[in-house]
Amino acid sequence: MREILPALGEWYAAGSPFALATVVAVSRSAPRDPGAAMAVGPGGEVVGSVSGGCVEGAVFELAQEVVASGAARSATFGYSDDDAFAVGLTCGGEITLLVRRVTAAEDPSFGRVVETVGAGDPVTVATVIDGPGRRGASLAVWPDGARGTLGSAGLDAAVAADARGELAQGITGTRHYGPHGERREDSVAVFLHSFAPPPRMLVFGAIDYAAAVARIGDFLGYRVTVCDARPVFATPKRFPAAVEVVVDWPHRYLRDTPTDDRTVVCVLTHDPKFDVPLLEEALRRPAAYIGAMGSRRTHDDRTRRLREAGLDAAELSRLRSPVGLDLGARTPEEVAVSVAAEIVALRWGGSGVPLSVTTGVIHPSAPGG
């Protein structure tokens, strides 16, 4: 959804009605997560995807009907044992979509939502997907306010409170309420789509490997910062336009930079005077991933120095070193793929083993989900 919002913002600003199809529920090995979206705009132009190609044709037809009628529709697509080539997900999963028409009259907050997400600020869009009232009604919720209505003041208040809680954790999902926001009832299903700020990727060491890691981090949706104390190497020209470049001592920059449980830290300096004080700081603060480049000899020496600095076994166990999965990588770009693969595997609980030798579902539930 985040990727297609610029196009939707242009259609919205031009006053062109469009249909927005959003994945609101999935089961088994579905190809896209809740929040994935596809839109059909003027002249039948399509942006986004809800299934990677399995059901987009059927969604296109449904979207055109919704634009014409203005009535939001829900639809579920799944695998058919009788005819695997019929409209359905041949991967064996099931997705449920909400398709609604978006215009300035029907959704006056949509333009501001586009601006908020584009600025990297947080917002949650709550949409009625089932129950009494108007399916497709939406409420945009910011940390300091809300705009729109789901049908009643009580429902708006209850959903806004929950939306802010989900937004703080970056959670997207469905909640159930009574028609006036009663929390012990489930007659109204509301999809809460959280647009939390992109997670941070902090890359330390402005070397060729850092440029490759920064590119793949940007591709994966991280807000990437590269930091190095040497101004001759830390120049914006050496990195993608979207990457922030900072000249500072790595440990000092990290000390003054907020991190959270989604933050990725990649230490590519492999120089004790930089990476030991940096890792000492990193391993004592929130982060999803902390990886450090270097040989096994470098790793052993670095670990010894970190122990001498007072880090305990639990803190040291968070360090992924040598960084990356064993792909046989050689070039900076190949090493970046190795690092990205380890980050993704750690995020979703993947094994790193080829899927061709595994069994069971390909997309299990997220760890803790």
Side-chain angles (χ1 to χ4, degrees), residues 16-317:
S16 302
F18 60 89
L20 178 60
T22 304
V23 177
V24 296
V26 303
S27 66
R28 299 192 298 279
S29 187
R32 303 297 302 274
D33 291 325
M38 166 181 158
V40 179
E45 182 180 354
V46 177
V47 294
S49 171
V50 292
S51 73
C54 299
V55 303
E56 268 69 6
V59 176
F60 177 81
E61 298 295 334
L62 181 58
Q64 290 188 311
E65 294 174 9
V66 168
V67 169
S69 69
R73 301 266 300 275
S74 64
T76 298
F77 298 94
Y79 180 79
S80 169
D81 291 323
D82 297 327
D83 184 1
F85 295 99
V87 173
L89 299 175
T90 56
C91 59
E94 182 177 275
I95 61 172
T96 298
L97 308 176
L98 175 72
V99 187
R100 67 185 181 101
R101 186 173 68 180
V102 178
T103 65
E106 294 167 309
D107 192 346
S109 64
F110 191 85
R112 187 180 167 196
V113 168
V114 173
E115 293 174 357
T116 299
V117 177
D121 295 327
V123 63
T124 293
V125 178
T127 309
V128 174
I129 59 177
D130 198 12
R134 183 171 69 87
R135 176 181 287 162
S138 66
L139 174 74
V141 182
W142 290 268
D144 58 352
R147 187 176 180 187
T149 182
L150 303 178
S152 74
L155 181 59
D156 291 345
V159 170
D162 289 344
R164 293 189 179 102
E166 305 287 69
L167 184 58
Q169 302 178 63
I171 296 174
T172 287
T174 299
R175 288 203 174 222
H176 295 84
Y177 306 86
H180 300 286
E182 298 89 344
R183 297 183 184 277
R184 295 189 178 184
E185 298 183 25
D186 60 2
S187 60
V188 181
V190 179
F191 182 65
L192 303 180
H193 192 172
S194 296
F195 294 92
R200 298 290 303 274
M201 173 182 278
L202 306 176
V203 181
F204 295 96
I207 60 177
D208 289 346
Y209 291 95
V213 170
R215 284 195 295 272
I216 203 166
D218 178 54
F219 175 75
L220 291 175
Y222 287 92
R223 175 188 163 196
V224 182
T225 299
V226 175
C227 175
D228 197 303
R230 303 164 296 179
V232 68
F233 295 112
T235 62
K237 289 183 179 180
R238 302 183 64 226
F239 298 93
V243 173
E244 177 187 28
V245 179
V246 174
V247 178
D248 200 350
W249 278 83
H251 71 282
R252 183 169 60 192
Y253 175 76
L254 182 59
R255 184 182 60 214
D256 297 332
T257 300
T259 63
D260 58 28
D261 291 336
R262 302 185 301 153
T263 302
V264 166
V265 177
C266 297
V267 179
L268 310 181
T269 51
H270 54 82
D271 183 333
K273 71 174 177 290
F274 290 122
D275 59 17
V276 170
L278 171 59
L279 287 169
E280 184 180 355
E281 175 69 30
L283 293 169
R284 288 173 169 161
R285 57 165 54 228
Y289 175 91
I290 303 170
M293 177 178 281
S295 66
R296 298 196 187 280
R297 178 180 296 178
T298 298
H299 169 74
D300 291 342
D301 177 69
R302 189 163 45 209
T303 301
R304 176 183 61 79
R305 292 171 183 266
L306 289 169
R307 286 198 186 99
E308 291 173 354
L311 274 76
D312 60 28
E315 291 167 331
L316 289 171
S317 69

